[in-house]
Amino acid sequence: MSGSTITQSTRPTTVPAGTDERPPSWAQSRAARELGLKRGEFELAVHLGCIRTVPDDRGGGVRRVARAEIDRVRSEDGSAEALRERVKAVGTTEGAALMGVTTARFTRLARLGLVVPVKFYLNRYRAVVWLYLAEELRQFAAAEKNAAMLSGRTPEVLRDQLSAGLDLRPRNWRGRHMGFLLRQTEDPWAQAAIVASLLDPLDRAELVPDPYERAYLNRLRPDQAARTVSESPAADVAARIMTAQDPDEISWLKADLTQALTTARQLRPAPRPTPRPVPNDSQRLGFLPEEAAPENSPLNEKPQRSRGLFGWLRRRNA
């Protein structure tokens, strides 16, 4: 292609001095571009509280980023680079290198719950790939109290737990993820829906027998795309990770949901369909009540005596 090539700049749009035509808030996708962050980095920054969001004035449960918040993040030292470093998530191999241990030892530390994953995804082989905050891993390795776990032999009691199949990564992720979501809303019904989303449907039905309340919680439930019913093996794996499995975890979530529902019901009831008025007989037949009929309506006319032969026969037989 001949001629000069025009490229679109990724820098924020500038406006003339003394004017500010920017909207009061931006959609999250636009806010990510303004800050120079990838989608995953931006979402993690929001979850970690590095970027604050506000509800959309138009409703719908969508959250936006205020212009003042964008300006605040930009004014910090290092701006996007510093923020990107705070939300950097790494897998097992890179995490082990950061901590100076083997991948096998790193995996053991994660299964024991000593390092907590911040997110996960399924690779093309439908294997779960856990990701960890690089900053947290460096802090763990730098703490003197953890030196024994980074080298030497793992204590026997912990080895026995690992041999028995202990793996706290899914449970720790669920707890952390629930905390992320709860910080995004102050609505008691939405908070109850977040807790309920981590329980099995049978457990939810046991605690919430009212079908209208269950429907409302389901409507407010987060991660709808990830929780969509699907027959794919990948969806089944994701659903197991996002659903509490251990009896003590289930008991803990049930207690939290019961408390959240009590608070929500005190604030307002779950929405229910408005009952339709039952029509009376005259309304079903299309008639007006007698008192509502116009003065000259045929309904108000008195029947006249029939004339002719049929009238004479009726009077004779009367």
Side-chain angles (χ1 to χ4, degrees), residues 90-117 130-134 136-138 140 149-150 154 162 169:
V90 298
T92 298
T93 301
E94 190 174 353
L98 284 175
M99 297 176 65
V101 298
T102 63
T103 56
R105 181 179 290 272
F106 182 90
T107 301
R108 290 196 297 270
L109 294 174
R111 289 179 57 189
L112 290 168
L114 298 176
V115 292
V116 179
W130 296 102
L131 299 177
Y132 308 81
L133 283 177
E136 290 184 352
L137 299 182
R138 285 191 288 264
F140 183 92
M149 300 300 301
L150 299 177
T154 303
L162 293 171
R169 288 175 295 183

Side-chain angles (χ1 to χ4, degrees), residues 23 25-28 54-64:
S25 65
W26 279 311
Q28 295 192 34
V54 295
D56 192 343
D57 294 337
R58 294 168 292 183
V62 179
R63 298 186 69 86
R64 298 171 63 86

Side-chain angles (χ1 to χ4, degrees), residues 92-248:
T92 298
T93 301
E94 190 174 353
L98 284 175
M99 297 176 65
V101 298
T102 63
T103 56
R105 181 179 290 272
F106 182 90
T107 301
R108 290 196 297 270
L109 294 174
R111 289 179 57 189
L112 290 168
L114 298 176
V115 292
V116 179
V118 72
K119 61 191 304 184
F120 76 92
Y121 68 91
L122 303 180
N123 62 17
R124 60 179 178 175
Y125 304 107
R126 297 195 296 273
V128 181
V129 179
W130 296 102
L131 299 177
Y132 308 81
L133 283 177
E135 185 177 16
E136 290 184 352
L137 299 182
R138 285 191 288 264
Q139 292 174 357
F140 183 92
E144 185 177 352
K145 63 179 181 180
N146 298 324
M149 300 300 301
L150 299 177
S151 61
R153 191 173 178 83
T154 303
E156 183 177 358
V157 62
L158 298 181
R159 292 200 309 270
D160 292 342
Q161 292 176 351
L162 293 171
S163 300
L166 176 68
D167 189 352
L168 295 179
R169 288 175 295 183
R171 176 172 178 168
N172 285 340
W173 175 84
R174 285 190 293 269
R176 187 169 202 168
H177 186 63
M178 184 175 71
F180 288 161
L181 297 175
L182 289 175
R183 286 193 293 270
Q184 295 299 309
T185 180
E186 296 181 356
D187 178 61
W189 279 106
Q191 292 177 344
I194 291 169
V195 179
S197 70
L198 300 179
L199 288 170
D200 183 89
L202 294 178
D203 292 323
R204 292 199 298 269
E206 176 186 348
L207 289 178
V208 194
D210 188 315
Y212 296 110
E213 289 186 343
R214 287 203 307 272
Y216 192 39
L217 292 175
N218 187 64
R219 193 171 72 189
L220 296 174
R221 185 174 60 177
D223 296 334
Q224 288 288 357
R227 305 279 301 197
T228 301
V229 176
S230 173
E231 297 180 356
S232 69
D236 292 339
V237 173
R240 285 197 298 271
I241 292 176
M242 291 187 286
T243 304
Q245 305 291 335
D246 301 328
D248 58 333

